[in-house]
Amino acid sequence: MTTPFDRKIFWIHWMGRAVGENTIDELIQTVKTYSPNVKGIAIKSNDGQYWQGRYDNNPNMAINGQADILRWAKALARNGLQTYLWCVIRGDNIEEESRVIGLACRTAGVKAMILDVEDGEGYFGGQTAETARRLITRIRNAAPNGFHLALNLDARGSHPRNIHIDEWLPYVDSLHPMVYHWHFSEGTRGPKAYVDEAFYNLAQYNKPIVPMLQAYEDPSSGTRVPEDQIYEAGIYSFQKGAPGISYFRLGSAGPAEFGAIARIDPNNIPDSGGGTTGPTKKFLVSTLVLNVRSEPSTDPRTLLPGEQLRQGEQVDAQISSRTELAGYVWWKHRTGWSAERTTDNSEVFMVDINTPLPAPAFLFERSPLDLDEMRWFYYYGNTIFAYRYGEQNNYNGYSQGLHGGLDYGHPGGIPVYAGVNGVFDYSGSERAFGPNRVDILIGDYRIIYGHVARPISLAKGTRVTPNTVVGTIDYGAQHMHLEIRYQSETYILNPLQFMTETMRSSLISQFPPEGIYGFYSSPRWQRWLTPLDQPTIIRGGPVIGPKA
């Protein structure tokens, strides 16, 4: 998909009072002299319903309507530069804001409009999905047919969800993540991890990604971005597949920033040297949850929020990235850095793909429900059921937006068996999974049989066998929820991993994951689509499912 930014570097301009030049022509000459490879400037046109000039005290550069935008466009065109616009979206007055943006887009010479939609007080944050839908629909209708609209956003964590990104996506043509790495790391780290994070989070939307990079000092430390990091951010973005890049912003950049940007030739980007390509080594995650970091370091600040690898996941690590540091062996992969093991081999977190994972601590010796009695079955993890009813049932706050167990369906009255050798711990109605639940312990594992009627009542610590009846299917709930928790109930595990191959195959064969009983997928979500390809869940952890 082509864009107006292809093979281009462009500057972001905020307002006249923020730069040292007094006129448009003076600013253009600064850009041409000190960054001759730059091919355009994105000028701020408005802030919500108001033209940018409302906040600018430099009348020579202020924008108070189409005539001022046209002055900019003509001056830029005379010097061989493209004119782009950008604006801050507020959503406070939909009709007026869309009218102003539509006028800006219809100005002769303007190549694209970048919509800055941010999650936070004083920006779009707090507005509803309905507001987003109405506003972007009106903007699209107000702009000329075929005009390029771009979405500028913070792509980290929950920010895209908080601005209701799904409402904007059908109407925008490219995505411009704010990759302000020096700001995000409080002046401590380089850009690669943040570029990787932006591309990883936005790849699912299948639109061109044009990073907006940092050329201003870190607000917390007051330090300027190192010149080599400004250069590295641009080069690495092109290596990742960006059609173009921008730098924020004119007025905050000095000789070092201009010099670093001037060294980037979009038509002659060097090979990545193993940064994201090259030979790989395949691992399986052997620990329950493995952290992903921006650098090979145990510093808590290097943790990438929401990026965790789960037991059984395959990791393609770059062979050239192997690093021994801080007592660990580290490898770089698609989403960041993870530890393979400690250097003394006392702990192992990933194993070679040809090494089988350790056997589970126990196995079910019989099915909790007789398979020939069952009527339906919901799987663990990324199910359509969890996607449709997750928020309604608080799965987002409990099991990371996924289904935390297996559901055995039946109209009611048939027995539920323990299926394992363990010890009785609890039964009753005072915990979740009503009307009753029964808990059986096996070492550090807790097995929960939820929604049952007539729960067994035994002395705590009494041993149970696979044939022990722990309750019956309740006529109201019409199913039993089987859940396995581990390590003080911190983790929720896939019960299928604790079944014999024969039992598991019979279950999957009789109740294949199809239709409403299957796994959720969409053009943007293609993870965890088979019964055993499901993640370990952290109870109460951040949402990691399709609604993350």
Side-chain angles (χ1 to χ4, degrees):
M1 182 186 301
T2 61
T3 77
F5 317 104
D6 289 357
R7 291 295 164 188
K8 293 183 176 65
I9 305 171
F10 59 101
W11 279 106
I12 306 296
H13 172 65
W14 180 33
M15 59 180 64
R17 64 179 173 85
V19 298
E21 293 78 8
N22 292 315
T23 67
I24 296 172
D25 286 331
E26 287 178 10
L27 184 64
I28 290 173
Q29 288 311 307
T30 295
V31 169
K32 294 281 291 182
T33 300
Y34 298 105
S35 55
N37 55 335
V38 164
K39 299 302 181 184
I41 300 177
I43 310 146
K44 185 175 183 181
S45 59
N46 60 285
D47 197 307
Q49 61 185 301
Y50 301 110
W51 292 106
Q52 173 266 358
R54 178 186 176 96
Y55 308 99
D56 198 349
N57 59 8
N58 182 339
N60 295 322
M61 296 188 187
I63 291 180
N64 293 295
Q66 281 184 298
D68 292 323
I69 297 174
L70 188 59
R71 280 195 304 123
W72 273 95
K74 288 181 176 180
L76 289 165
R78 286 196 299 270
N79 289 275
L81 297 175
Q82 301 273 30
T83 301
Y84 312 113
L85 299 177
W86 69 282
C87 66
V88 173
I89 295 293
R90 302 287 183 183
D92 298 326
N93 185 331
I94 293 174
E95 290 74 16
E96 183 60 18
E97 186 168 0
S98 59
R99 185 190 72 84
V100 169
I101 294 172
L103 289 173
C105 293
R106 290 184 174 277
T107 306
V110 173
K111 303 299 182 182
M113 168 65 82
I114 303 168
L115 308 171
D116 180 340
V117 185
E118 295 187 46
D119 169 26
E121 187 176 351
Y123 293 94
F124 186 77
Q127 299 284 11
T128 65
E130 172 64 20
T131 297
R133 182 163 52 253
R134 290 176 56 206
L135 182 54
I136 186 56
T137 302
R138 290 182 66 96
I139 291 172
R140 180 78 272 178
N141 290 336
N145 290 335
F147 185 82
H148 191 100
L149 294 178
L151 180 64
N152 180 214
L153 75 161
D154 187 340
R156 299 172 300 156
S158 62
H159 293 288
R161 182 173 69 249
N162 293 346
I163 65 166
H164 314 293
I165 187 171
D166 288 335
E167 305 299 338
W168 303 91
L169 287 171
Y171 303 96
V172 298
D173 305 295
S174 59
L175 302 175
H176 296 234
M178 303 168 188
V179 187
Y180 303 154
H181 75 277
W182 198 241
H183 187 167
F184 294 163
S185 70
E186 297 184 338
T188 61
R189 290 191 291 281
K192 284 192 173 182
Y194 296 96
V195 174
D196 284 341
E197 182 181 17
F199 273 82
Y200 175 74
N201 290 342
L202 298 180
Q204 59 184 309
Y205 302 123
N206 198 31
K207 292 183 183 290
I209 299 171
V210 183
M212 186 178 288
L213 306 172
Q214 182 177 353
Y216 63 90
E217 67 182 25
D218 170 49
S220 63
S221 65
T223 57
R224 303 190 76 86
V225 186
E227 183 175 349
D228 62 333
Q229 291 191 17
I230 291 177
Y231 172 79
E232 182 183 35
I235 292 293
Y236 191 59
S237 295
F238 279 118
Q239 289 172 342
K240 293 286 289 187
I245 58 173
S246 65
Y247 281 91
F248 190 89
R249 61 178 168 78
L250 289 171
S252 62
E257 290 80 5
F258 275 104
I261 294 167
R263 291 161 49 200
I264 302 172
D265 180 0
N267 296 303
N268 188 24
I269 298 298
D271 292 337
S272 62
T276 57
T277 60
T280 60
K281 181 178 177 65
K282 296 183 182 296
F283 290 99
L284 281 177
V285 178
S286 57
T287 191
L288 287 175
V289 177
L290 181 58
N291 287 323
V292 179
R293 298 175 177 272
S294 60
E295 298 176 14
S297 168
T298 56
D299 187 333
R301 294 176 297 177
T302 64
L303 285 170
L304 293 178
E307 292 298 336
Q308 292 174 319
L309 302 173
R310 309 298 167 118
Q311 188 178 64
E313 283 198 53
Q314 181 174 312
V315 178
D316 292 327
Q318 298 157 20
I319 287 180
S320 62
S321 70
R322 186 185 186 281
T323 302
E324 290 191 20
L325 196 67
Y328 294 87
V329 177
W330 302 89
W331 297 84
K332 191 174 190 300
H333 49 85
R334 182 169 61 95
T335 56
W337 290 84
S338 293
E340 173 198 355
R341 56 182 171 83
T342 56
T343 51
D344 63 4
N345 289 315
S346 61
E347 294 182 88
V348 177
F349 314 111
M350 297 191 296
V351 297
D352 187 277
I353 195 73
N354 296 313
T355 303
L357 294 178
F362 66 90
L363 291 174
F364 281 84
E365 297 182 27
R366 71 167 294 169
S367 175
L369 261 69
D370 289 336
L371 294 188
D372 56 0
E373 298 271 15
M374 289 170 55
R375 305 296 175 81
W376 54 267
F377 182 76
Y378 277 136
Y379 286 88
Y380 165 100
N382 172 47
T383 61
I384 290 175
F385 171 77
Y387 182 79
R388 290 181 176 177
Y389 303 109
E391 293 174 345
Q392 175 182 324
N393 292 284
N394 195 32
Y395 294 148
N396 288 354
Y398 169 67
S399 58
Q400 301 191 286
L402 303 171
H403 187 215
L406 304 177
D407 284 352
Y408 293 75
H410 186 274
I414 66 171
V416 176
Y417 299 97
V420 296
N421 289 294
V423 296
F424 176 84
D425 182 69
Y426 170 84
S427 70
S429 59
E430 296 178 356
R431 300 181 183 178
F433 306 114
N436 301 283
R437 80 183 225 191
V438 176
D439 291 10
I440 291 175
L441 302 181
I442 303 176
D444 289 335
Y445 297 85
R446 177 179 296 274
I447 306 175
I448 297 171
Y449 307 79
H451 308 305
V452 299
R454 301 173 63 188
I456 191 173
S457 180
L458 299 171
K460 191 171 183 178
T462 301
R463 300 200 66 81
V464 299
T465 71
N467 295 322
T468 300
V469 176
V470 298
T472 62
I473 296 293
D474 181 71
Y475 285 101
Q478 298 191 346
H479 75 284
M480 184 274 293
H481 175 88
L482 179 71
E483 184 163 311
I484 299 179
R485 300 179 185 174
Y486 179 62
Q487 287 188 350
S488 300
E489 304 190 53
T490 301
Y491 302 106
I492 304 175
L493 311 179
N494 187 351
L496 290 178
Q497 296 176 335
F498 296 84
M499 296 180 181
T500 65
E501 180 59 36
T502 298
M503 183 186 303
R504 188 165 53 227
S505 297
S506 297
L507 184 59
I508 295 172
S509 175
Q510 186 165 332
F511 298 98
E514 298 172 347
I516 63 171
Y517 301 104
F519 297 102
Y520 178 81
S521 68
S522 73
R524 299 196 307 271
W525 182 266
Q526 294 293 320
R527 300 181 70 185
W528 308 326
L529 301 181
T530 62
L532 290 174
D533 174 32
Q534 300 298 321
T536 296
I537 292 170
I538 300 175
R539 285 185 65 208
V543 177
I544 60 172
K547 292 188 177 180

